[in-house]
Amino acid sequence: TATERWASLDDGKVVWQERRAYPFSPLTVVLIDDAVQLTIALFVVASKSTLSALWSDRALVLKMLPLGVIYALGEMLTLRSVQKSSGPVYVVVA
């Protein structure tokens, strides 16, 4: 983990504070993870049938969209909750 430092003034004195933080934002991790999972899924679907079969039932796609959003939001909240911890804590939580 990286260290984030900032300064503040306390009675005219500069006080340095620091905390451990990931060198990346949780949002970028979630977006890249979801993009990789989507790419793998598209390759699997393309190997078994055409990609047009994936979009043939638009009602099903719209029905599954909220589930994907909830999953991505859960991933982001998990990363956010362990952001002050270490990598092994995230492995245990995930």
Side-chain angles (χ1 to χ4, degrees):
T1 58
T3 303
E4 180 182 356
R5 294 180 64 187
W6 66 92
S8 60
L9 287 174
D10 188 22
D11 293 330
K13 296 178 186 177
V14 177
V15 177
W16 287 94
Q17 298 176 343
E18 64 180 37
R19 69 177 175 104
R20 291 186 314 174
Y22 289 123
F24 44 80
S25 78
L27 183 61
T28 57
V29 172
V30 170
L31 289 178
I32 290 174
D33 178 52
D34 290 346
V36 168
Q37 289 183 23
L38 180 62
T39 303
I40 292 170
L42 289 176
F43 278 121
V44 169
V45 169
S47 70
K48 295 187 180 211
S49 63
T50 62
L51 285 179
S52 61
L54 186 65
W55 305 102
S56 62
D57 188 3
R58 290 189 187 266
L60 182 61
V61 172
L62 291 176
K63 216 182 267 188
M64 295 304 293
L65 184 65
L67 181 62
V69 171
I70 290 170
Y71 175 78
L73 183 63
E75 285 286 318
M76 192 170 65
L77 290 175
T78 301
L79 269 175
R80 186 74 178 150
S81 67
V82 296
Q83 191 170 18
K84 294 182 181 179
S85 300
S86 62
V89 172
Y90 175 69
V91 171
V92 169
V93 170

